[in-house]
């Protein structure tokens, strides 16, 4: 195949071949896999509008990773995580449609999440600035290859389902800071933040860790350079896989649209620029340590049945009658763990509100999932104005956007409650 993604690492599956006994006799089954999706040529990067040239080398490889889970009754769900800025609806739908055809995987059973790294490649259709028109073709080649690898890695995870136990717990990491308060004249105002670190541990019957999926609500914006990397989320995944050989670590980005890792340095002073890599490495270790402490502590067993729901709800805008079909997804595990996935760059108010409604101890809220329709502001952010309030595909969202999304979450939560 002719596409710009490295083949240095083939798809690596963590759980071996599936066993022959039926799922109903085994309890949970799980399979995990990963594949490198690092560009192999200079490519236009995403995340910062001030970019004025393609990438210049690689700091850390990028990955697509998949975790497949099957409950005792045979209900199956798959999580796909990518070290990318995000997957717009057309890309997410392409992956879902191909997986439905290849693996009979229903849309509500596939959750697509991106880490929102700002040192990754652009994906999809782009319009490069004058002088770099050829980058549209480069990004197109990369995107085609990335889609192939995403579908492949999902298939590898499904192929490698075998008996497992699931446990959930939460830790804390404190480097996320509400960036709307990190401005002159705003320091007197409190800024909400979500420091929770949700952790799903997947173990083999002998207790060995096979996979760990974890999250955090903070922009992956420690770095501002032109070298490819997954930012702090990439470093954290690497640290966890190093500490647990054979395990696959998957990062799920939370509602961190208005949070940055701080402190950080993104200037060009040669005497200070080394701080960027030192900081991103430190934040990765902090997050990995928080996850490891949860894994070594008392975690709650995750029970079935697995119930899933996915719908798009029309969200309104202020100055037009146009609406946008916004994706909301819930995966519920028995009467305990609930994973809520929201599209776009969702501010922290949604996470705090939804966890307050559905349960602080067993609710996991992810953003940057299944689509990227810009920033998703809360009423608070809309009233305050500024960057995160500026809108999505049809201008500025109407204040009803928050109630519309939360109402759909509540509806799907009730539907999956059994």
């Amino acid at each position: 195949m002719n596409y710009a993604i490295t083949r240095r690492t083939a798809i690596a599956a963590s759980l071996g071949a599936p066993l022959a006994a039926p799922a109903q006799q085994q309890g949970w089954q799980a399979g995990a896999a990963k594949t490198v999706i690092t560009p192999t040529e200079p490519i236009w990067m995403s995340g910062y509008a001030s970019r004025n040239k393609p990438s210049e080398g690689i700091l850390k490889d990028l990955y697509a990773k998949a975790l497949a889970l099957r409950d005792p009754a045979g209900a199956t769900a798959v999580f796909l995580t990518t070290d990318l800025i995000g997957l717009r609806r057309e890309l997410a739908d392409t992956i879902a449609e191909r997986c439905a055809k290849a693996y009979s995987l229903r849309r509500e059973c596939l959750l697509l999440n991106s880490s929102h790294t700002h040192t990754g490649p652009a994906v999809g259709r782009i319009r490069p600035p004058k002088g770099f028109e050829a980058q549209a073709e480069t990004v197109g080649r990369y995107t085609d290859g990335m889609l192939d690898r995403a579908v492949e890695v999902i298939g590898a995870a499904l192929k490698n389902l075998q008996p497992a136990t699931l446990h959930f717990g939460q830790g804390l990491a404190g480097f996320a800071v509400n960036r709307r308060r990190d401005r002159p004249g705003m320091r007197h105002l409190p800024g909400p933040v979500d420091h929770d670190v949700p952790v799903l541990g997947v173990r083999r019957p002998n207790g060995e860790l096979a996979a760990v999926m974890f999250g955090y609500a903070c922009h992956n914006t420690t770095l501002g350079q032109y070298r490819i990397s997954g930012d702090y989320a990439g470093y954290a995944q690497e640290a966890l896989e190093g500490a647990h050989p054979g395990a696959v670590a998957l990062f799920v980005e939370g509602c961190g649209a208005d949070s940055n890792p701080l402190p950080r340095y993104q200037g060009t002073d040669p005497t200070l620029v080394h701080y960027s890599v030192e900081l991103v490495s430190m934040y990765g270790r902090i997050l990995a340590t928080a996850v490891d402490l949860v894994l070594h502590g008392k975690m709650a067993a995750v029970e079935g049945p697995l119930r899933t729901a996915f719908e798009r709800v029309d969200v309104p805008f202020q100055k037009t009658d146009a609406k946008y079909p916004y994706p909301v997804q819930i995966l519920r595990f028995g009467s305990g763990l609930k994973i809520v996935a929201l599209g776009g760059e969702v501010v922290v108010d949604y996470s705090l509100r939804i966890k307050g409604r559905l349960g602080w101890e067993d609710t996991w809220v992810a953003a940057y999932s299944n689509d990227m329709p810009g920033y998703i502001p809360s009423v608070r952010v809309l009233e305050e104005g500024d960057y995160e309030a500026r809108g999505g595909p049809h201008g500025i969202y109407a204040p009803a956007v928050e109630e519309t999304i939360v109402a759909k979450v509540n509806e799907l939560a009730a539907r999956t409650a059994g």
Side-chain angles (χ1 to χ4, degrees):
M1 284 180 280
N2 180 23
Y3 50 75
I5 298 179
T6 181
R7 287 282 185 179
R8 286 187 289 114
T9 302
I11 290 177
S14 72
L15 297 180
L19 301 184
Q24 289 85 346
Q25 299 177 10
Q26 298 177 355
W28 283 104
Q29 290 185 314
K34 66 178 183 178
T35 186
V36 175
I37 56 170
T38 310
T40 58
E41 58 184 317
I43 191 169
W44 203 258
M45 299 176 74
S46 58
Y48 300 115
S50 60
R51 301 269 190 209
N52 57 17
K53 58 184 176 180
S55 61
E56 297 176 334
I58 297 164
L59 182 61
K60 292 287 183 181
D61 275 326
L62 306 180
Y63 289 88
K65 301 179 181 180
L67 174 63
L69 302 176
R70 179 169 292 164
D71 77 3
T76 304
V78 179
F79 300 86
L80 176 76
T81 64
T82 54
D83 294 327
L84 296 171
I85 193 71
L87 298 174
R88 294 189 182 277
R89 182 173 57 182
E90 60 270 21
L91 300 182
D93 286 353
T94 296
I95 294 172
E97 290 163 5
R98 290 174 61 178
C99 286
K101 182 176 181 180
Y103 315 125
S104 298
L105 189 64
R106 300 193 310 276
R107 183 63 188 89
E108 66 268 22
C109 300
L110 176 62
L111 193 161
L112 310 174
N113 182 273
S114 296
S115 70
H116 201 56
T117 177
H118 281 46
T119 44
V123 290
R125 297 186 298 272
I126 68 165
R127 297 178 63 182
K130 187 176 180 179
F132 295 97
E133 291 84 357
Q135 277 295 315
E137 189 174 325
T138 301
V139 171
R141 285 197 305 272
Y142 175 83
T143 301
D144 289 343
M146 179 274 297
L147 292 172
D148 289 340
R149 299 302 289 275
V151 175
E152 289 173 6
V153 81
I154 290 169
L158 287 165
K159 182 179 179 180
N160 288 282
L161 286 164
Q162 74 171 48
T165 60
L166 310 182
H167 292 83
F168 177 74
Q170 298 191 70
L172 293 169
F175 59 84
V177 177
N178 192 299
R179 70 187 193 182
R180 292 173 60 80
R181 305 308 186 214
D182 180 43
R183 299 190 174 110
M186 298 283 280
R187 291 188 175 91
H188 63 290
L189 296 176
V193 69
D194 185 354
H195 283 151
D196 287 345
V197 179
V199 178
L200 179 66
V202 180
R203 296 187 181 273
R204 299 183 177 94
N206 64 3
E208 184 177 349
L209 188 70
V212 56
M213 189 168 72
F214 64 102
Y216 195 54
C218 182
H219 257 81
N220 270 282
T221 51
T222 318
L223 299 171
Q225 54 188 260
Y226 282 82
R227 287 189 291 173
I228 295 290
S229 86
D231 209 89
Y232 75 79
Y235 278 80
Q237 292 172 85
E238 181 181 66
L240 285 165
E241 291 180 352
H244 302 276
V248 175
L250 305 90
F251 174 80
V252 174
E253 181 64 88
C255 297
D258 50 346
S259 295
N260 273 343
L262 291 174
R264 63 177 184 163
Y265 179 73
Q266 296 188 313
T268 58
D269 186 332
T271 64
L272 298 176
V273 81
H274 67 282
Y275 282 133
S276 295
V277 175
E278 291 179 7
L279 285 167
V280 77
S281 177
M282 180 180 69
Y283 294 148
R285 293 195 307 273
I286 289 171
L287 186 54
T289 300
V291 174
D292 234 356
L293 289 173
V294 174
L295 290 172
H296 285 85
K298 185 177 181 180
M299 302 178 71
V302 175
E303 307 292 346
L306 173 61
R307 301 186 182 95
T308 59
F310 178 101
E311 284 191 8
R312 291 186 171 95
V313 59
D314 287 338
V315 292
F317 295 82
Q318 289 187 13
K319 295 183 179 180
T320 176
D321 292 333
K323 298 181 183 298
Y324 188 86
Y326 180 81
V328 177
Q329 184 176 19
I330 288 187
L331 287 79
R332 183 187 284 267
F333 298 77
S335 60
L337 175 62
K338 300 166 285 291
I339 300 179
V340 178
L342 305 175
E345 300 200 53
V346 185
V347 298
V348 68
D349 304 81
Y350 286 84
S351 176
L352 301 178
R353 181 174 176 180
I354 290 169
K355 288 195 286 189
R357 167 70 174 81
L358 300 182
W360 290 100
E361 299 303 323
D362 57 8
T363 303
W364 183 342
V365 185
Y368 303 90
S369 299
N370 301 312
D371 195 2
M372 281 292 290
Y375 280 94
I376 308 300
S378 61
V379 172
R380 172 188 66 87
V381 170
L382 285 171
E383 290 176 347
E384 293 176 353
D386 218 326
Y387 187 75
E388 295 84 359
R390 291 177 184 172
H394 301 299
I396 300 175
Y397 286 98
V401 62
E402 181 176 342
E403 292 302 325
T404 302
I405 292 171
V406 171
K408 180 56 67 172
V409 170
N410 291 337
E411 176 191 331
L412 298 188
R415 184 188 308 171
T416 56

